[in-house]
Amino acid sequence: MERLLLQYEVEQWLYREAEYLDHLDFQSWLALMAQDVVYQMPICMNVADTRSAQDYSRETFIFNDDRNTLQMRVDRLNTDFAWAESPPSRTRRLVTNVRLVEVEPEITVLCNVLIYRSRGADIEADLISGERKDVLRREGDSLKLVRRWFLIDQTTINTRNFAIFV
Amino acid sequence: MHDADAINLATLPPRQLKEFLTNTVRPDDGFIPAYIFSHPVIHQLEMEKIFMTQWLFLAHESELPKVGDFVTRDLGGHSVIISRGQDNQVRIFLNMCRHRGMRLCRDDRGNEGAFHCPYHGFTYSNLGLLTGVPFQRDIYGDGFDKQNFGLIQAKVEIWAGLIFGTWSANPPSVKEFLGPMAWYLDLVVNRAEMEVTGPPQRWVVNASWKLGADNFVHDSYHTMYTHASIAKLGMVPAADYSKQGYQIDCGQGHGLNFGTPTPDFIFPQNLMDEYRSRLTSEQFSALSTMKNMIGTVFPNLSFLISATTFKGSRISNTTLRTWIPKGPGQVEVLAWVLTERNATPEWKEASLQSSMFTFSPSGIFEQDDMENFIDITANSRGALPLRDNIAFAYLAGLGRQPVEQFPWPGTAYDSKFLEHNARSFYRAWLKAVTSGGE
């Protein structure tokens, strides 16, 4: 029962986070981050000898951020010169297959994410698919993101940039 | 009165196409027509006249440290395997089995003594020799000589750790090809023992490859407005931070902007001895006064040394990138980060992080650059640019005299907010696409 409640709580947290990002409410989104958050997205590669898992680079990242740089990205989006998101993309984050991996001392959760992104009047939307591995920590009444690991299902990125968050 | 019809480039005979190009691409007057950034005929011409003939950068030697290491890349629109063979030589193989043309290798990188074709099991050594044909005797009898079916190879030359390849049968040496650019490229990739921090980032956008090369070869002017957000964040002191310095034309379409003076030495301080021992005293003095440096080796290798305030301290990063044409108005970007092999792990990590935060798909400089390249490419399409000969203005610095007695190689102009190098880039481009075929 406790596990069920936790599953529900984590799912609601993930949905709320997606909502903040889709609704461009970046201040509320930043408030979900722990002060020591590590936010990473490595590049993926085609390598034959890793049969059991997707191969990703240990060295090359698209995001390798902390609380400070996430704040800078949000500050930048709030200037009048963030051309890459001016006007902002329309995004919709579908978060599914939520799996609790560990619950103590911190919560490790896997989920699948599909981000639909439409820019301007372009009729061709970008689809960004991937798996997240998140670590959440209880701080007071709320859960904070301590670590995000986004494994993208693509070796060659076909969205024009990552001016959006994953 | 009738409107003029848009000219149909696809039906123009070669001689007339050449004439049309020469009449409309006017770097000497500072006008570059819009249509060249997306027209299918131009793309085809570029693939044939530029990307099949020039030296193209493919990989850094540190990506292939061990015998058997390989990476797969694009050379002139063809998939190639860059392999360090058993004999320690680097070779470039067309990624194609000689039997039926099947792709031999689907991996981005790895280590192999031999490549096996998935179709019929033909086997090639990492020296490019056909070494195995299943049931050869049964099937072919004596009528098959394996020696005649080694992998097709491109020419390769390694210059200061940069692996260049070309499909040209008679290329000049890379040193000759680089000309005065070699002196500056030394500062980028040869100031110390350099290594890649990891595999390159790869992404595809709907933009002309030329716009990236053009931007890196000359355009510091755009930093003031496109990258105004960077100054707002305090990463550089002011929006016009990138004005001071020289625009240097290295001939053959190669060029760079050298930002100077600098308030501080932007490279790891503890490697002074290494810099001094590898560089000439003039090069070392250039390195010491460098604030930033950005340039393009014609046609599509660009480099950048950028110094910003990141997490409270000044840190520089060094990146290489290639702009690989994927179709009319579409480019794949490959971007590498290089660091000094003997830098401290902390310096390497900070340099890498600052690079990814600024120049990468998520980079806060890069993402705004791409907006420009994508929208310009979109505007260059369709009938209007051809019908009304819409051209872009590359006029800044036209007629300006170069710096007299400039101490370094190349032809230098005082200030980086100039369009001189772009004119030289398109002059080289025009020469290439109108060459031959008489």
Side-chain angles (χ1 to χ4, degrees):
Chain A
M1 190 64 193
E2 224 171 281
R3 180 94 179 191
L4 263 180
L5 285 173
L6 184 64
Q7 171 87 19
Y8 178 78
E9 187 185 6
V10 168
E11 283 174 4
Q12 292 304 310
W13 187 96
L14 290 168
Y15 299 158
R16 195 163 56 250
E17 189 217 353
E19 181 183 325
Y20 288 152
L21 289 174
D22 291 344
H23 292 182
L24 309 175
D25 182 0
F26 298 117
Q27 291 308 332
S28 301
W29 179 73
L30 273 176
L32 297 176
M33 305 293 131
Q35 285 306 313
D36 57 345
V37 64
V38 177
Y39 182 97
Q40 291 178 318
M41 171 177 168
I43 63 162
C44 282
M45 287 175 301
N46 299 301
V47 178
D49 55 14
T50 48
R51 313 224 176 261
S52 56
Q54 201 173 0
D55 194 67
Y56 55 84
S57 170
R58 277 72 177 164
E59 307 100 3
T60 305
F61 293 86
I62 288 170
F63 282 106
N64 189 7
D65 279 54
D66 57 21
R67 181 67 172 70
N68 187 332
T69 54
L70 291 176
Q71 179 76 52
M72 284 171 83
R73 290 182 191 277
V74 169
D75 289 347
R76 194 189 94 83
L77 289 170
N78 289 333
T79 68
D80 294 333
F81 302 96
W83 308 114
E85 279 293 299
S86 170
S89 309
R90 281 164 191 81
T91 62
R92 198 64 60 196
R93 288 168 179 74
L94 307 180
V95 181
T96 69
N97 303 50
V98 179
R99 290 146 285 159
L100 292 178
V101 181
E102 277 175 42
V103 295
E104 285 196 28
E106 293 172 331
I107 302 156
T108 303
V109 56
L110 295 172
C111 66
N112 296 354
V113 179
L114 186 64
I115 306 173
Y116 167 96
R117 181 190 196 190
S118 167
R119 277 280 282 148
D122 203 343
I123 57 164
E124 284 169 20
D126 300 339
L127 286 179
I128 301 151
S129 163
E131 186 182 58
R132 276 187 197 151
K133 186 178 190 180
D134 289 346
V135 178
L136 298 169
R137 180 193 296 145
R138 198 169 292 284
E139 289 183 5
D141 291 342
S142 55
L143 294 173
K144 302 282 185 191
L145 185 69
V146 181
R147 185 168 165 76
R148 166 148 301 162
W149 178 260
F150 186 90
L151 206 52
I152 189 168
D153 298 322
Q154 215 166 29
T155 59
T156 305
I157 306 298
N158 80 338
T159 193
R160 57 170 74 186
N161 58 47
F162 276 95
I164 59 168
F165 295 101
V166 296
Chain B
M1 211 174 120
H2 295 286
D3 284 334
D5 283 334
I7 193 157
N8 186 349
L9 297 189
T11 56
L12 278 189
R15 181 192 293 266
Q16 282 176 34
L17 178 60
K18 226 185 243 194
E19 249 176 55
F20 182 76
L21 278 161
T22 310
N23 292 336
T24 54
V25 181
R26 296 158 53 207
D28 294 345
D29 303 326
F31 288 106
I32 303 301
Y35 72 87
I36 67 165
F37 296 104
S38 56
H39 201 288
V41 167
I42 299 299
H43 170 73
Q44 209 181 335
L45 207 56
E46 287 173 340
M47 294 315 289
E48 186 190 328
K49 303 281 190 182
I50 298 177
F51 290 91
M52 285 303 292
T53 65
Q54 297 276 344
W55 282 113
L56 301 173
F57 174 69
L58 291 172
H60 191 264
E61 224 184 345
S62 62
E63 292 180 84
L64 309 167
K66 297 189 302 291
V67 160
D69 284 348
F70 72 88
V71 294
T72 51
R73 296 281 146 83
D74 177 293
L75 179 63
H78 302 281
S79 174
V80 292
I81 305 169
I82 300 129
S83 154
R84 186 180 287 282
Q86 280 327 114
D87 59 356
N88 206 29
Q89 293 299 304
V90 173
R91 292 180 181 78
I92 302 171
F93 305 128
L94 185 62
N95 189 2
M96 186 182 90
C97 180
R98 293 293 302 281
H99 178 226
R100 279 293 181 283
M102 174 62 187
R103 192 155 284 194
L104 274 179
C105 178
R106 289 101 163 257
D107 298 347
D108 296 328
R109 68 171 185 188
N111 185 287
E112 294 288 352
F115 299 98
H116 305 281
C117 178
Y119 200 174
H120 301 89
F122 278 43
T123 296
Y124 300 85
S125 74
N126 62 18
L127 307 176
L129 305 170
L130 178 59
T131 53
V133 175
F135 294 106
Q136 183 183 344
R137 284 237 156 246
D138 277 7
I139 296 180
Y140 294 99
D142 294 329
F144 190 97
D145 187 351
K146 288 206 286 280
Q147 282 189 38
N148 295 333
F149 294 94
L151 292 176
I152 292 169
Q153 297 194 25
K155 290 225 157 36
V156 63
E157 203 185 309
I158 303 176
W159 185 90
L162 306 180
I163 302 173
F164 287 92
T166 181
W167 292 117
S168 167
N170 299 301
S173 70
V174 167
K175 194 172 167 14
E176 211 178 317
F177 158 74
L178 292 173
M181 179 55 97
W183 195 90
Y184 297 98
L185 211 48
D186 257 343
L187 303 180
V188 184
V189 298
N190 208 18
R191 60 178 183 262
E193 201 181 339
M194 301 292 285
E195 61 186 7
V196 296
T197 56
Q201 298 187 329
R202 299 168 58 164
W203 71 110
V204 172
V205 289
N206 290 322
S208 166
W209 68 273
K210 290 193 288 299
L211 291 167
D214 156 327
N215 178 277
F216 274 63
V217 84
H218 87 288
D219 198 332
S220 294
Y221 182 33
H222 82 290
T223 57
M224 215 169 34
Y225 206 71
T226 294
H227 302 310
S229 67
I230 311 301
K232 296 244 180 231
L233 292 180
M235 292 184 74
V236 297
D240 63 355
Y241 176 75
S242 274
K243 185 167 189 288
Q244 251 193 320
Y246 299 107
Q247 184 155 109
I248 303 167
D249 184 340
C250 293
Q252 303 182 71
H254 313 321
L256 68 129
N257 279 352
F258 192 100
T260 189
T262 181
D264 45 16
F265 190 74
I266 62 173
F267 303 100
Q269 300 271 359
N270 60 327
L271 298 180
M272 286 295 187
D273 290 345
E274 191 177 349
Y275 299 134
R276 278 207 184 86
S277 72
R278 290 178 80 100
L279 300 172
T280 66
S281 58
E282 289 81 13
Q283 282 177 315
F284 181 76
S285 115
L287 195 76
S288 307
T289 58
M290 186 195 296
K291 182 164 74 177
N292 48 37
M293 185 163 106
I294 185 162
T296 294
V297 177
F298 188 85
N300 72 333
L301 165 63
S302 292
F303 58 81
L304 168 71
I305 297 172
S306 161
T308 53
T309 302
F310 183 68
K311 297 186 180 177
S313 52
R314 286 255 299 167
I315 186 95
S316 69
N317 57 70
T318 300
T319 62
L320 297 177
R321 65 202 25 242
T322 52
W323 314 96
I324 302 167
K326 284 299 187 191
Q330 191 175 66
V331 64
E332 178 170 353
V333 188
L334 260 70
W336 296 257
V337 179
L338 270 70
T339 56
E340 282 82 348
R341 175 161 286 164
N342 299 318
T344 61
E346 295 74 28
W347 203 95
K348 286 184 195 184
E349 180 60 26
S351 181
L352 175 60
Q353 271 193 27
S354 78
S355 175
M356 298 202 175
F357 188 68
T358 50
F359 284 89
S360 82
S362 80
I364 62 174
F365 282 82
E366 183 106 43
Q367 43 182 269
D368 291 334
D369 285 326
M370 283 299 168
E371 292 295 298
N372 296 334
F373 305 161
I374 291 166
D375 284 1
I376 294 166
T377 305
N379 277 340
S380 74
R381 293 184 196 276
L384 192 64
L386 273 170
R387 196 197 73 177
D388 290 0
N389 192 23
I390 295 174
F392 303 142
Y394 285 77
L395 295 159
L398 205 61
R400 180 188 280 238
Q401 290 305 306
V403 178
E404 281 180 41
Q405 317 222 308
F406 186 64
W408 306 335
T411 309
Y413 297 85
D414 199 2
S415 171
K416 290 159 63 195
F417 283 10
L418 295 173
E419 288 158 356
H420 176 91
N421 278 357
R423 291 191 290 273
S424 295
F425 176 86
Y426 290 109
R427 214 171 277 128
W429 180 86
L430 182 64
K431 186 180 168 202
V433 295
T434 56
S435 68
E438 282 306 315

